[in-house]
Amino acid sequence: MKLALVVPCYNEEEVLEDTTKQLCKLFDKLLEKGKIDEDSYILFVNDGSKDQTWNLISKFNEQEKWVAGLNLAANVGHQNALYAGLMSSYKNVDATISIDADLQDDINVIENMIDEFNKGNDIVYGVRNDRTSDSFFKRFTAQRLMSARAVEQLGHYKERNLFLRGMVPLIGYKTSCVYYARKERMAGESKYPLKKMLSFAFDGITSFSIKPITMISWVVFLAIVFSVCAMIYTFIGHFVGNTVSGWSSLMISIWFLGGVQLLSIGVIGQYIGKTYVEVKERPRYNIDVLLESKSVGKEND
């Protein structure tokens, strides 16, 4: 089979050399075993890195026969960078596998994924045995194999607010899972601070669910019940002559209702904002440079 391994990269200069060595050795081994064809390749997708990541990719493209490179014109985020790699590679391969550049996912499980693909599975998920040490972002990303036709179907989903972990199961083709243990990051640090993690999580929730709007309805209902109770308390206080305490109940009611209203407007605004982004239909990414691997170039000759 012809395989494309898609590796999104953002400021990964500290790990990229070791990552390339490990992946090239893996491809050599898979070729010897007859698991992959000679024109398979590793596609590093540079997501607008500010360090030497693209220069390293270009160098490894010259040195290693397996390495190809895709340089995006600007930073578009992990999901869009991964999507760009998938869309750029699926037409000339049998299957694609996605993996992060830090290699915290066990690359040896790729052989098992290929075996599952050969059994007729279009989508194979890499599932970690123990996720207790995973960062928040890592819980929503995973190693994954997709057949060419599965990636083609993924391209029919036109939303700009990408959450691939939720989109891939919607394709509906035959799936399987392989299991592995998670490793520690080789070097450097995670490129997903708390702000990006929260944004990613909220994108996942609002892109695939209307539950936040439903929850607002329940919160508003509870606010009404609370306000009625506060009103009854105020009337009782008035009739027994204890009018000073009315100030407390009034302030509680005002602040509580004000908070609910602002929360409701904020959540609804998120959905309106996403609709605004979708209807403009701007491209998810722009390609600056595409470097083919030597194996692919040889095959084209």
Side-chain angles (χ1 to χ4, degrees):
M1 66 170 289
K2 184 176 180 180
L3 174 69
L5 183 65
V6 179
V7 189
C9 303
Y10 177 67
N11 293 345
E12 297 289 0
E13 64 178 3
E14 293 176 293
V15 302
L16 200 56
E17 182 173 358
D18 192 56
T19 293
T20 302
K21 289 179 180 178
Q22 291 191 46
L23 292 179
C24 287
K25 287 181 180 179
L26 174 68
F27 267 50
D28 288 337
K29 183 175 72 172
L30 292 175
L31 179 63
E32 290 177 3
K33 291 184 176 182
K35 299 285 186 178
I36 62 173
D37 295 341
E38 286 190 3
D39 51 349
S40 299
Y41 59 94
I42 304 162
L43 179 62
F44 288 107
V45 182
N46 180 42
D47 183 21
S49 297
K50 299 177 182 178
D51 60 5
Q52 296 299 309
T53 295
W54 177 244
N55 290 334
L56 289 173
I57 293 172
S58 300
K59 183 180 77 171
F60 297 143
N61 172 254
E62 292 292 328
Q63 296 176 348
E64 303 287 348
K65 71 174 184 178
W66 298 114
V67 175
L70 179 65
N71 189 38
L72 302 184
N75 176 253
V76 294
H78 179 277
Q79 297 290 279
N80 283 310
L82 175 55
Y83 185 87
L86 294 174
M87 292 301 124
S88 299
S89 59
Y90 82 90
K91 291 182 180 179
N92 60 356
V93 297
D94 299 307
T96 64
I97 294 179
S98 59
I99 189 172
D100 289 340
D102 56 21
L103 295 192
Q104 287 185 275
D105 296 319
D106 185 5
I107 63 174
N108 294 310
V109 80
I110 289 176
E111 182 175 348
N112 298 333
M113 287 182 160
I114 294 172
D115 292 338
E116 291 298 314
F117 170 77
N118 290 330
K119 292 178 183 178
N121 295 290
D122 282 281
I123 301 171
V124 183
Y125 297 103
V127 181
R128 299 183 184 94
N129 291 323
D130 182 9
R131 307 188 71 94
T132 56
S133 60
D134 281 4
S135 67
F136 185 85
F137 177 75
K138 283 294 184 180
R139 293 174 186 267
F140 287 94
T141 59
Q143 201 169 177
R144 182 192 300 115
L145 178 146
M146 297 179 68
S147 67
R149 71 165 186 159
V151 178
E152 181 179 14
Q153 291 303 314
L154 179 64
H156 294 159
Y157 292 80
K158 299 302 182 181
E159 57 258 45
R160 265 56 187 169
N161 298 283
L162 291 179
F163 185 67
L164 296 178
R165 178 107 183 198
M167 292 170 63
V168 172
L170 298 178
I171 296 173
Y173 290 150
K174 186 178 179 181
T175 65
S176 180
C177 295
V178 294
Y179 298 89
Y180 62 94
R182 176 182 178 270
K183 299 185 294 184
E184 294 298 323
R185 185 181 177 89
M186 293 181 294
E189 58 185 19
S190 173
K191 304 306 184 294
Y192 279 81
L194 180 61
K195 182 180 178 181
K196 283 190 176 181
M197 290 179 184
L198 293 176
S199 176
F200 184 76
F202 204 80
D203 280 345
I205 294 171
T206 55
S207 295
F208 285 88
S209 175
I210 61 169
K211 286 185 179 179
I213 292 180
T214 305
M215 291 173 62
I216 285 176
S217 301
W218 284 104
V219 171
V220 171
F221 174 76
L222 293 175
I224 293 173
V225 172
F226 182 86
S227 300
V228 170
C229 293
M231 183 179 64
I232 294 173
Y233 171 78
T234 301
F235 275 118
I236 293 175
H238 174 74
F239 285 117
V240 300
N242 188 13
T243 56
V244 177
S245 60
W247 181 85
S248 300
S249 60
L250 179 63
M251 294 303 294
I252 291 173
S253 300
I254 292 174
W255 282 104
F256 186 78
L257 288 175
V260 170
Q261 290 171 347
L262 291 174
L263 174 64
S264 302
I265 293 171
V267 173
I268 294 172
Q270 288 287 331
Y271 283 94
I272 294 174
K274 288 183 181 296
T275 303
Y276 172 70
V277 171
E278 295 291 342
V279 297
K280 288 190 292 186
E281 296 186 352
R282 289 178 176 173
R284 298 184 182 93
Y285 57 88
N286 293 312
I287 295 175
D288 182 25
V289 180
L290 174 62
L291 301 175
E292 288 189 340
S293 67
K294 288 184 173 61
S295 59
V296 174
K298 181 178 179 181
E299 178 69 16
N300 290 339
D301 293 340

